[in-house]
Amino acid sequence: MMIDALVQLGLFSVKMLIVAVFILAVLAGILAILSKGKEKGKGKLVIKHLNQKYDETTEDILSHTLPKKLYKQFIKDKKQQEKAKKKSEERTKQIYVINFHGDMKASAVSQLREEVTAVLHVAKPNDEVILKLDSAGGVVHGYGLAAAQLLRLRAHRIPLTICIDKIAASGGYMMACVANKILAAPFAIIGSIGVIVQLPNFNRVLKDKHIEFEQLTAGEYKRTLTVFGENTEEGREKLQHEIEDIHQLFKNLIKENRQQLDINKVATGEHWLALQAIDLQLVDEIKTSDEYLLERSKAAELYELSYETKKSLLSKLSASANLMFDTLKGCSQYLAKH
């Protein structure tokens, strides 16, 4: 009886989930129609004052560790320092902190361009930009655009420091090399200055199955290598020349911005840990981003900038529908097994 009741309860739950998914799908469809033609991807710049965060942390710890008398004196001294700073007419040095978490498509470049533009509206040559970079690289055009965005800062003579805590390889290093200064955590992965193209070819499989593949192109080299067609030596040679040209442009960018290193020694596609990379002059200093930010906060005001895009109601509904679908699938599998 208990098993039958559980099965009935499970079936009822599945039915309710189906109804809910259907309702969400209908709502999503209606919203998609209504949102056509409206502006998409609206975002806003979020600013965090890191000095304030550090001060609050310090204050919180001292409130628990210092005797009351000493803690009160600390608060009094702090308020006096803040008053003196407000009275001073001298502009405090500003440091703008940006985060870049890279993927294969360099999709974070859309946020980066907004953040760089925001900095250029207010930054002075005696200020600084710190980019916390984490990327194993990806598509050339995406990371080429990311590096170009950072070069906008250099063109306006805004000092750029790049901090690498985990990895800046391939396209990631393409971005890093344009900095005035590169800092890296001891075991961060650096380098991989090379270009790779790889794709499967199913032409033999299609032939074995007596399936013909046709591809029409205009232009001798419109398609060099193909996934389904028969590749030729001419096509391979053409693509090899193309990736060698890209590699040379990559090397030229590094040589232009880091003249101190031996480009032929490092542009082999290899990667190194930062402790090794410093000897090759791929990085300038072994230091974590946390250490550097805390150090700089003693003499400047640090502001972390992030351009955040609001998720539309449609995307939220889609996410909810996907979650319900996964739950429904799990329930179905459970009932099938039991």
Side-chain angles (χ1 to χ4, degrees), residues 266-279:
V266 299
T268 56
E270 299 171 82
H271 64 268
W272 298 269
L273 296 178
L275 288 167
Q276 302 164 313
I278 196 166
D279 294 328

Side-chain angles (χ1 to χ4, degrees), residues 133-166:
L133 174 63
D134 179 21
S135 176
V139 293
V140 174
H141 59 280
Y143 281 94
L145 178 57
Q149 293 298 329
L150 298 179
L151 284 169
R152 293 169 63 199
L153 297 168
R154 294 293 303 271
H156 285 78
R157 301 186 183 279
I158 311 294
L160 172 63
T161 301
I162 287 185
C163 296
I164 305 160
D165 287 328
K166 293 180 181 178

Side-chain angles (χ1 to χ4, degrees), residues 109-148:
V109 75
S110 57
Q111 285 79 41
L112 179 65
R113 68 201 308 176
E114 298 287 351
E115 291 156 359
V116 169
T117 298
V119 169
L120 289 176
H121 274 97
V122 294
K124 306 295 180 186
N126 64 325
D127 292 331
E128 181 183 359
V129 172
I130 298 174
L131 177 73
K132 294 168 66 179
L133 174 63
D134 179 21
S135 176
V139 293
V140 174
H141 59 280
Y143 281 94
L145 178 57

